[in-house]
Amino acid sequence: ATLSSNTETIAAQATAPGRGGVGIIRVSGPKASEVAEQLLGKCPKVRYADYLNFNDLKGNTLDQGIALFFKGPNSFTGEDVLELQGHGGPVILDMLLKEILQINGLRMAKPGEFSEQAFLNDKLDLTQAEAIADLINSNSEQAARSALHSLQGDFSKLVHQLVEDVIQLRMYVEAAIDFPEEEIDFLADEKVLNSLKGIITRVEDVQQQAKQGSIIREGMRVVIAGRPNAGKSSLLNALSGKETAIVTDIEGTTRDVLSEQIHIDGMPLHIIDTAGLRESPDKVEQIGIERAWAEIAKADRVILMVDSATSEQENPRDFWPEFFEQLPEKMGVTIVRNKADLSGAKTGLSGDSEHPSITISAKSGDGIDDLKDHLKTIMGYQGSTEGGFMARRRHLVALEAAHNHLQTGLDQLESYVAGEILAEELRICQQSLNEITGEFTSDDLLGKIFSSFCIGK
Ligand code: GDP
Ligand code: ZN
């Protein structure tokens, strides 16, 4: 990142909207000390908590509280920062912010703009900035811990190490290209081959860890589909431990899509209960069925529920081929045979990994844990491991690209083609890795990342 040339000073409420014991307004930029002069009558001593009156521009007191001043570059954003910690009432904070914004050269901060400044001033790299948003948004302990590890630079360190390794190899390869008479020897050099293979293995290791982090962040979407009365809504309730869905023996009770989020061992599981799939003259039910298919399109997995107490004990692929024909390509299906308490079937997992089937009783809860384990296995989730870090989809994409370029380079090397191609693959690989930490990032991507932050962060 390059040093930002921000001449504007930004301000926003840093605490959540609503009432609270304390409400904080944060100001960042060259005019932060002037804001302090105007509202507090002085600029507080750097990094000392000063208890002061907060005044409007005419000198009338609006509130009183703690003021803190951080001199750039030793601040969160790297610029001068003023923090006013007043009483956490929406009206008070609004009045204070309005006064601040009247000062010349001040404007309201955009969502995530403080973090963006911190990134532009090299206080954080991009994965760390993303981790701030993830930490704030985390809704499980695992997610919070992983986000903190990313914020502390665990993920960045691994990426930097990979970049270092790639640079070392590039230097060696490019030096060899500059001495063409030695190139043949160089391509046969085991050292290059081994070093390249070593980097590929380490990228794969980081990919594996990042995948775990991204599962903790994004979770898994599972759609429960099936005929009316199979017990779909009962399964949603059994998994979530709540009475979210209305359960009746009247076919077509669930007409819309219902969803719940639970955690399996730290993995967020979004469960979506859908209207029973059947031909129906009922307009509302028809719309529900359309929505069910729309949900299936976005799912990581479909649970097809059948009633094991009825004739549907046979393979649903045989008696319901239309369902499988309408499924998106590559969509995995787990058949769940429900009502084991009625049919007397043995609960648990059966079938092979391509055609798994699980027998449960949504009513008694038998087999529900088997189903949870199965869903974890499908996602490749290894459970909450200490020291894991948070990762996003874009990180996985960049790692995948880096891996592909290394692999292509290796293929070239092994088939004794020109060293230039290996050098070029290594160069692009390095770029992909740098995208993760933001050393090589388009403005578009930055805009997209920071605009999803909340205001004041
Ligand atoms: P849905 O239409 O697929 O959502 O099915 P529901 O969850 O509404 O259940 C339909 C009927 O089957 C209700 O009367 C449930 O009480 C009953 N049911 C659901 N699961 C079980 C089960 O495991 N055992 C038994 N005995 N009844 C069940
Ligand atoms: Zn239902």
Side-chain angles (χ1 to χ4, degrees), residues 4 24 62 77 82 96 107 110 150 176 188-189 203 232 290 309 313 329 333 340 372 386 392 413 441 444:
S4 94
I24 299 177
L62 296 172
T77 58
L82 176 70
L96 209 54
R107 70 165 169 80
K110 292 185 287 235
S150 288
D189 187 345
V203 169
K232 299 180 296 300
E290 270 168 38
Q313 290 181 46
E329 217 185 323
V333 179
K372 288 182 176 175
E386 242 332 289
R392 299 185 172 202
L413 190 60
T441 313
D444 278 5

Side-chain angles (χ1 to χ4, degrees), residues 228-229 231-234 245-248 252-255 258 273-276:
N229 269 352
K232 299 180 296 300
S233 299
S234 303
I246 302 169
V247 171
T248 71
T253 303
T254 310
R255 293 156 149 238
L258 294 172
D273 175 24
T274 60

Side-chain angles (χ1 to χ4, degrees), residues 302-351:
V302 172
I303 287 179
L304 175 58
M305 259 201 128
V306 296
D307 184 343
S308 69
T310 68
S311 61
E312 295 181 340
Q313 290 181 46
E314 314 102 66
N315 191 346
R317 275 166 220 276
D318 299 331
F319 70 78
W320 202 4
E322 312 90 88
F323 174 81
F324 290 90
E325 275 157 27
Q326 206 174 332
L327 275 183
E329 217 185 323
K330 286 188 190 147
M331 177 62 66
V333 179
T334 298
I335 291 163
V336 169
R337 299 172 195 278
N338 190 29
K339 309 195 188 181
D341 55 301
L342 290 183
S343 68
K346 187 174 164 295
T347 58
L349 180 64
S350 57

Side-chain angles (χ1 to χ4, degrees), residues 17-139:
R19 285 168 224 279
V22 177
I24 299 177
I25 287 181
R26 187 185 261 167
V27 181
S28 176
K31 292 216 161 172
S33 60
E34 189 189 321
V35 172
E37 300 278 357
Q38 299 234 25
L39 268 69
L40 314 171
K42 65 169 194 179
C43 188
K45 192 174 160 192
V46 170
R47 289 168 177 267
Y48 272 81
D50 220 337
Y51 185 68
L52 295 165
N53 283 344
F54 302 166
N55 303 320
D56 66 15
L57 298 176
K58 296 192 198 87
N60 303 311
T61 300
L62 296 172
D63 194 8
Q64 54 193 21
I66 306 276
L68 290 164
F69 185 71
F70 302 87
K71 184 85 193 137
N74 301 314
S75 69
F76 172 68
T77 58
E79 304 178 311
D80 288 355
V81 169
L82 176 70
E83 265 187 30
L84 301 178
Q85 311 190 350
H87 293 95
V91 175
I92 305 166
L93 290 167
D94 244 24
M95 290 197 300
L96 209 54
L97 191 56
K98 258 192 217 136
E99 289 302 311
I100 292 172
L101 294 175
Q102 274 179 35
I103 298 169
N104 210 353
L106 265 285
R107 70 165 169 80
M108 184 81 174
K110 292 185 287 235
E113 199 172 1
F114 293 100
S115 303
E116 188 171 8
Q117 263 321 307
F119 167 71
L120 293 172
N121 286 333
D122 279 334
K123 304 296 286 189
L124 299 165
D125 70 27
L126 203 49
T127 53
Q128 290 174 307
E130 288 169 318
I132 292 176
D134 289 341
L135 184 59
I136 292 171
N137 291 329
S138 56
N139 49 19

Side-chain angles (χ1 to χ4, degrees), residues 153-163 205-206 209 389:
D154 291 9
F155 185 21
S156 312
K157 255 178 249 155
L158 290 174
V159 174
H160 284 307
Q161 189 53 57
L162 291 174
V163 171
D205 183 51
V206 176
Q209 292 185 59
F389 54 79

Side-chain angles (χ1 to χ4, degrees), residues 86-316:
H87 293 95
V91 175
I92 305 166
L93 290 167
D94 244 24
M95 290 197 300
L96 209 54
L97 191 56
K98 258 192 217 136
E99 289 302 311
I100 292 172
L101 294 175
Q102 274 179 35
I103 298 169
N104 210 353
L106 265 285
R107 70 165 169 80
M108 184 81 174
K110 292 185 287 235
E113 199 172 1
F114 293 100
S115 303
E116 188 171 8
Q117 263 321 307
F119 167 71
L120 293 172
N121 286 333
D122 279 334
K123 304 296 286 189
L124 299 165
D125 70 27
L126 203 49
T127 53
Q128 290 174 307
E130 288 169 318
I132 292 176
D134 289 341
L135 184 59
I136 292 171
N137 291 329
S138 56
N139 49 19
S140 73
E141 277 181 33
Q142 274 91 348
R145 261 197 293 265
S146 302
L148 188 64
H149 287 144
S150 288
L151 177 57
Q152 290 174 332
D154 291 9
F155 185 21
S156 312
K157 255 178 249 155
L158 290 174
V159 174
H160 284 307
Q161 189 53 57
L162 291 174
V163 171
E164 255 337 286
D165 294 349
V166 172
I167 290 175
Q168 287 300 321
L169 187 56
R170 273 187 74 189
M171 277 167 29
Y172 193 85
V173 171
E174 299 206 0
I177 292 171
D178 291 341
F179 298 97
E181 62 281 359
E182 287 163 41
E183 192 178 334
I184 297 302
D185 294 336
F186 140 76
L187 286 171
D189 187 345
E190 287 280 302
K191 253 196 290 182
V192 173
L193 191 67
N194 290 338
S195 143
L196 183 54
K197 282 182 176 166
I199 298 174
I200 291 177
T201 307
R202 289 194 289 284
V203 169
E204 284 167 357
D205 183 51
V206 176
Q207 277 182 298
Q208 187 57 36
Q209 292 185 59
K211 167 127 195 281
Q212 297 302 309
S214 102
I215 294 172
I216 287 183
R217 182 171 188 272
E218 324 249 346
M220 177 184 197
R221 288 181 78 83
V222 169
V223 171
I224 310 173
R227 290 261 161 80
N229 269 352
K232 299 180 296 300
S233 299
S234 303
L235 177 60
L236 175 71
N237 292 348
L239 283 167
S240 66
K242 285 192 222 160
E243 298 294 316
T244 302
I246 302 169
V247 171
T248 71
D249 52 8
I250 304 162
E251 296 198 345
T253 303
T254 310
R255 293 156 149 238
D256 202 353
V257 167
L258 294 172
S259 71
E260 271 295 331
Q261 195 195 305
I262 63 163
H263 288 95
I264 304 177
D265 226 357
M267 175 178 87
L269 179 71
H270 310 275
I271 320 155
I272 296 126
D273 175 24
T274 60
L277 302 175
R278 61 166 181 181
E279 301 286 323
S280 168
D282 181 321
K283 188 94 198 213
V284 177
E285 206 182 329
Q286 277 173 16
I287 295 172
I289 291 170
E290 270 168 38
R291 289 201 185 146
W293 280 105
E295 287 297 333
I296 287 173
K298 292 184 285 181
D300 292 305
R301 191 79 178 178
V302 172
I303 287 179
L304 175 58
M305 259 201 128
V306 296
D307 184 343
S308 69
T310 68
S311 61
E312 295 181 340
Q313 290 181 46
E314 314 102 66
N315 191 346

